[in-house]
Amino acid sequence: MQIGIPAEIIAGETRIAATPDTVKKLVAAGHKVVVQAGAGVKASLPDANFSAVGASIVDATTAYASDIILKVQAPTAEEIALIKDGATIIAMFDPYRNANLAAFAAKNLQCFALELLPRTLSRAQNMDVLSSQSNLAGYKAVIMAADEYQRPFPMFMTSAGTVKPARVVIMGVGVAGLQAIATAKRLGAVVEATDLRPTAKDQVESLGGKWLDVPMSDEEKENAKKAAASGYAWMPGPQYIADQAVIVDKAVSQADIVITTALIPGRNAPRLIKAETVAKMKAGSVILDMAVETGGNVEGSVLNQITTTDNGVKIIGIPNIPAQLAAQSSALYANNVYNFLATLLNKEGQMVVNLEDEIQKALLITQAGQLIFGKK
């Protein structure tokens, strides 16, 4: 089969869905792999690296004419027009917000949305794009915040006086949040963290962070436990939200750096920090809102901008943070894609979709002219 890797055309997307390592495996399995010229340049992967392992360097038309197309971002309406009928596409589709799902179905495209992976399955771990990309995003978020912060993270003892360590608050302790805690601690900061899942407390403390505890009712504990088993957050009751707001207000208003990571699939990001809390922070403090693409966790964050409030607080609203580390995020993403693609191909290299397979069934969003997502 011909497998195509087109260049990403969405602004700010620097990643690529394949690397020479994954292409080499596909070529060895007997597939023809075509890579659009320049597709990997922003990820430090020149065309020569792909041709050296057997890929053909082609134009966009040839890449989109493939039987299987591997991408980072879902094809746009412009790209859909270039894809041949009946092709298979593997990418991150953002299916809850993607307005083009009907167009994929209309063109008889078989589409797999990688972010729908059942994360509780152990055999799915090497296909988990959310984890691989969030891990890097958590690290980079701290580095970006540190770059905007005008003081050092660690404590310094100098003849001119003592420099206090930065106080960092992490809101949301998933993969990105845990990596942010670890990175901030390595840089010498004092770190506090909070999450809707009480099971995250042990993880926070194991990394040297302080847990910001919010009292929970027995019912809320049970709901949180179920959510933890699924790998996602839960929707708390009004009392918990009120109690959390008090604790968050106190911790954030005293923080030097705040990083928010809270996302809920299919919904706008929960608003965790109000403008009145930001107004209490010290001049020079920094907030990085990792959920800015889905509405933001922070009141006042603006997509694609770094804004400064009247009281001198910087709010970073830069989206798609994994793209800031294109070389490494591409390598991990490409491995995730290859591992999933391998489940679709039999020993003869032919595609065989098995809807009895939990992973394939969960990821499939369009097939045979039908829009499946939301109807399972």
Side-chain angles (χ1 to χ4, degrees):
M1 303 184 78
Q2 178 169 306
I3 300 173
I5 296 92
E8 301 293 325
I9 67 171
I10 292 178
E13 185 52 77
T14 59
R15 294 169 290 179
I16 182 172
T19 62
D21 286 341
T22 60
V23 167
K24 184 177 180 179
K25 294 175 185 178
L26 293 171
V27 170
H31 300 287
K32 180 180 180 182
V33 180
V34 296
V35 179
Q36 184 178 342
V41 170
K42 293 179 181 178
S44 301
L45 294 171
D47 294 343
N49 290 29
F50 290 101
S51 58
V53 294
S56 299
I57 306 303
V58 299
D59 59 14
T61 301
T62 304
Y64 284 112
S66 301
D67 304 302
I68 301 172
I69 295 174
L70 309 181
K71 289 192 88 274
V72 177
Q73 302 278 359
T76 62
E78 175 188 346
E79 292 173 289
I80 293 172
L82 300 174
I83 301 171
K84 74 175 186 178
D85 288 9
T88 294
I89 305 171
I90 300 172
M92 291 189 290
F93 278 83
D94 192 7
Y96 294 102
R97 297 187 298 157
N98 194 319
N100 294 323
L101 295 188
F104 290 113
K107 201 157 186 182
N108 199 33
L109 301 176
Q110 182 171 249
C111 299
F112 292 94
L114 292 167
E115 58 269 70
L116 297 179
L117 187 79
R119 303 174 77 186
T120 55
L121 297 177
S122 58
R123 70 184 183 90
Q125 290 180 359
N126 65 359
M127 311 172 200
D128 189 352
V129 296
L130 293 181
S131 290
S132 72
Q133 302 303 290
S134 295
N135 197 9
L136 293 171
Y139 160 80
K140 186 63 175 180
V142 174
I143 302 303
M144 292 168 65
D147 191 47
E148 293 296 330
Y149 186 55
Q150 295 180 325
R151 293 179 172 86
F153 269 40
M155 180 178 72
F156 289 158
M157 302 289 288
T158 75
S159 58
T162 300
V163 178
K164 294 182 179 180
R167 184 167 183 164
V168 176
V169 172
I170 309 296
M171 303 192 66
V173 190
V175 174
L178 289 171
Q179 184 57 249
I181 293 169
T183 302
K185 286 296 295 182
R186 285 195 294 267
L187 291 175
V190 173
V191 182
E192 298 175 302
T194 184
D195 192 275
L196 293 178
R197 294 162 292 194
T199 53
K201 177 181 178 181
D202 291 342
Q203 295 173 299
V204 169
E205 293 177 345
S206 71
L207 292 171
K210 177 186 176 182
W211 177 250
L212 295 173
D213 201 19
V214 181
M216 303 179 77
S217 67
D218 291 340
E219 181 181 358
E220 287 170 332
K221 288 179 182 178
E222 184 62 27
N223 290 337
K225 183 178 179 180
K226 292 177 181 178
S230 69
Y232 294 105
W234 59 289
M235 291 301 293
Q239 186 58 53
Y240 182 95
I241 292 174
D243 292 341
Q244 184 191 48
V246 173
I247 292 172
V248 166
D249 179 78
K250 181 179 179 180
V252 170
S253 62
Q254 297 175 355
D256 300 304
I257 307 283
V258 179
I259 295 175
T260 67
T261 73
L263 294 169
I264 300 176
R267 303 180 186 178
N268 286 338
R271 187 56 53 87
L272 302 179
I273 301 177
K274 305 288 187 181
E276 51 263 35
T277 299
V278 177
K280 298 176 184 178
M281 297 178 70
K282 301 183 294 291
S285 300
V286 176
I287 304 174
L288 189 146
D289 188 347
M290 293 182 69
V292 68
E293 289 176 274
T294 56
N297 297 144
V298 182
E299 193 170 354
S301 65
V302 180
L303 185 64
N304 287 312
Q305 291 186 28
I306 299 176
T307 58
T308 303
T309 66
D310 291 341
N311 60 314
V313 177
K314 287 186 178 181
I315 305 177
I316 303 174
I318 305 302
N320 194 7
I321 294 177
Q324 303 282 330
L325 294 167
Q328 189 60 65
S329 55
S330 294
L332 297 181
Y333 181 83
N335 284 336
N336 294 147
V337 170
Y338 174 82
N339 290 329
F340 173 67
L341 177 59
T343 72
L344 301 175
L345 302 173
N346 62 19
K347 294 180 180 179
E348 290 71 41
Q350 299 171 324
M351 177 163 290
V352 180
V353 176
N354 176 16
L355 293 184
E356 297 299 316
D357 183 288
E358 290 180 90
I359 294 175
Q360 294 181 23
K361 182 179 180 180
L363 270 58
L364 187 64
I365 58 173
T366 66
Q367 187 185 52
Q370 299 297 312
L371 175 57
I372 299 171
F373 178 72
K375 300 178 181 180
K376 298 177 183 178

